Each structure stands twice: as C-alpha cells, then as structure tokens.
Amino acid sequence: MSAAGEPRRDDAGGEPRRGDAADDPRAFYTSGYAVADPAEAERLGRWRALGARSKAAHAFQLCNRVGLFPTTLVEIGCGDGSLLAELSGLAAVVDGFELSPTAIELARRRGIPGARRLEAYDGTRVPAGDGTYDLAVVSHVLEHVPEPAPLLAEAARVASHVLVEVPLEANRSAARPAKRDEAARIGHLHAFDRAQVQALLAQTGLTPVADLSDPLPYAHHAFFGRKLPAAIKWAVRYALWRAAPRRAERLFTVHYAVLAR
Ligand SMILES: C[S@@+](CC[C@H](N)C(=O)[O-])C[C@H]1O[C@@H](n2cnc3c(N)ncnc32)[C@H](O)[C@@H]1O
C-alpha cells in the first residue's frame, strides 16, 4: 500500500522496524508485522484491509478483461493475508508464500477459504514446481526487493499468468524529501515508473495483456488525515488522472497493475 498510497505508514507491516530492508529483509518485515499495541494492530489491520479491497478489485477487473478465470492462484509476498483473503473469490485454490514467518502466522489465523499452503520461504526460491498455478500475484512487493527481476522470474516459473501491482513513485510529489524518507522507512528500495515495470516484465519474458492505473479512492486519502483536505486532495488527483492519466502519474503516485503471461 502506498498512496496515491499516502498515507502509507504501514506499507509492509507496523512499527517499529529493526535493521534495514536491504541488509536484513526478513528481520525488517518481521518486526513490521509484530505490533504489540492492540489498538495500533487493529488500526493497521483496517488500513491493510482497505488496501486489499482496491488491489483485489484490480485483479478481478484485469482477469475479467482478458477472460482469465484462474482455478489456482498464488500470492508471493502475501504478508498477513489481507489481500489473499479478498482473492479467495477469484480462484478455488489460493496459496501464499512470504518472507516473514510472523506475517504467515497472521495469514494462517484468518482461515482463508481455498488456502492450501501458507508458508514462509527464503524470499528467493518459491517452494512450488514449474507451472503449478494459473495465476501468480506479486502485489506491492517488487519495490521492496533489492533485485526485482529474479522474484518476477520465480512468479513466471510457477504460474502461467503473473499479476504485478506496484506504486509508481517516479513522480514529482514522491520526489520530495519527506516522501522519499517515508518510502525508505517502509522499505521501498525502488521508485518505479510504468516503463520500468514493463521493462522488468520483458526482461523476464512476460508479455503484458492488460493493465490499469488507480489514483485510489477517497477512503485511502482520508484514512490517516482530516476529511476535508483529504477530499480536496482526492478530487484534484482524480480529476487530473481522469483528464490525462499518463501526465498524472508523473505528478503523483498512482497504483499500477499489469497482468502478463
Ligand atoms: C507491502 S507488503 C505487501 C503485502 C501484500 N502483497 C499486499 O499487497 O497487501 C510487502 C511484503 O513483501 C514481503 N517480501 C519482501 N521481500 C520478499 C521476498 N523476497 N519474497 C517474498 N516476500 C517478500 C514482505 O515481508 C511484506 O510482507
């Protein structure tokens, strides 16, 4: 999650974080999911659930557009399972693999319908055979990994279709020092633009079949802030995005989802 993703304070979990996302990613994300304060955990849960609904809507929309009706789906980097729970309506089998064992424990507690395997793994080699799944979902993960191409190649190895979603953060708003600090704090190692995502797909031998961008609904902008400024921000961004989507994504962050095979 990120904003258009702002506020984006819990992108990979909660606080505080230990270590560095690049030096010790497992420790970094595990500490992010281990939130002791119940009120904070509840708030982060609501934020993740809100993000999951948007992300799942993107997945349903793109699959519908190309007539893809997956039976088996895997989410790589599934975190606490908030998105996977929403995706359980998209496929009969919804497995999840994740770097952080703490996050996987949270995902298991959800009792997600159709989840056969919810497992922590080494973040490198997905523990599934070639072509096991109809669809692999890699949502808001590539910007967190030092080398996105090998992770994407793993997704392409285990599934015939791959759905990638990232925040496009190569824009003027996200270039401001406070925004860059915030992105770094939550573990973003890359600020992608659309062309870079497409180049990554091409490098992995994946061909895009459908894509979309989303400046995100009002509820995302209002989650941490005051309602009136959030409403104004949302209305301005939405109008700019409707009028000129490609220009808008050079000004502020939108979420970009692309389905490839
Ligand atoms: C921002 S969260 C996204 C969670 C979920 N996919 C979503 O869209 O809501 C990023 C997740 O990627 C996980 N992650 C980071 N590096 C990973 C890797 N190499 N393999 C799998 N998961 C990884 C983190 O532990 C974290 O749970």
Side-chain angles (χ1 to χ4, degrees):
M1 276 151 283
S2 38
E6 295 131 41
R8 43 196 300 169
R9 294 162 210 193
D10 76 319
D11 201 22
E15 295 183 80
R17 298 288 164 71
R18 277 200 316 271
D20 180 86
D23 292 344
D24 190 350
R26 176 171 285 121
F28 180 83
Y29 292 105
T30 292
S31 65
Y33 283 105
V35 180
D37 174 13
E40 178 64 0
E42 188 272 334
R43 189 183 73 108
L44 290 175
R46 279 190 291 113
W47 171 241
R48 292 195 198 110
L50 184 62
R53 286 196 288 278
S54 297
K55 295 167 186 173
H58 300 158
F60 277 87
Q61 200 178 319
L62 291 175
C63 286
N64 276 336
R65 225 194 273 170
V66 303
L68 175 65
F69 303 106
T71 303
T72 52
L73 178 156
V74 63
E75 188 186 358
I76 301 170
C78 66
D80 71 349
S82 43
L83 174 56
L84 204 58
E86 296 288 335
L87 293 174
S88 67
L90 187 59
V93 169
V94 288
D95 288 350
F97 298 108
E98 161 58 46
L99 187 62
S100 161
T102 305
I104 277 295
E105 263 319 304
L106 294 170
R108 286 192 182 137
R109 282 186 218 153
R110 288 176 184 274
I112 299 171
R116 285 176 323 193
R117 300 182 65 188
L118 293 173
E119 296 173 18
Y121 82 113
D122 64 7
T124 304
R125 174 86 181 169
V126 175
D130 296 2
T132 300
Y133 299 99
D134 299 323
L135 177 64
V137 175
V138 185
S139 168
H140 293 252
V141 176
L142 294 184
E143 70 274 23
H144 291 268
V145 299
E147 296 285 342
L151 188 66
L152 204 48
E154 273 298 277
R157 180 183 67 76
V158 299
S160 49
H161 285 77
V162 176
L163 174 61
V164 168
E165 177 163 322
V166 292
L168 297 183
E169 295 187 305
N171 63 69
R172 281 174 63 173
S173 173
R176 290 175 291 162
K179 296 288 180 187
R180 285 164 59 166
D181 287 352
E182 176 65 2
R185 189 189 68 77
I186 59 177
H188 287 197
L189 305 174
H190 307 279
F192 293 122
D193 62 22
R194 181 185 288 248
Q196 287 170 323
V197 177
Q198 290 179 352
L200 265 174
L201 291 167
Q203 192 183 334
T204 318
L206 286 162
T207 306
V209 291
D211 66 1
L212 61 78
S213 67
D214 183 356
L216 296 180
Y218 161 74
H220 286 247
H221 297 289
F223 191 84
F224 291 100
R226 287 182 297 131
K227 288 192 169 38
L228 182 60
I232 294 167
K233 181 178 174 185
W234 169 77
V236 169
R237 288 190 172 194
Y238 185 76
L240 284 169
W241 173 80
R242 276 299 295 263
R246 297 297 179 93
R247 192 147 176 241
E249 69 195 37
R250 291 197 295 273
L251 296 177
F252 54 83
T253 301
V254 301
H255 287 184
Y256 179 57
V258 51
L259 179 62
R261 72 170 168 230

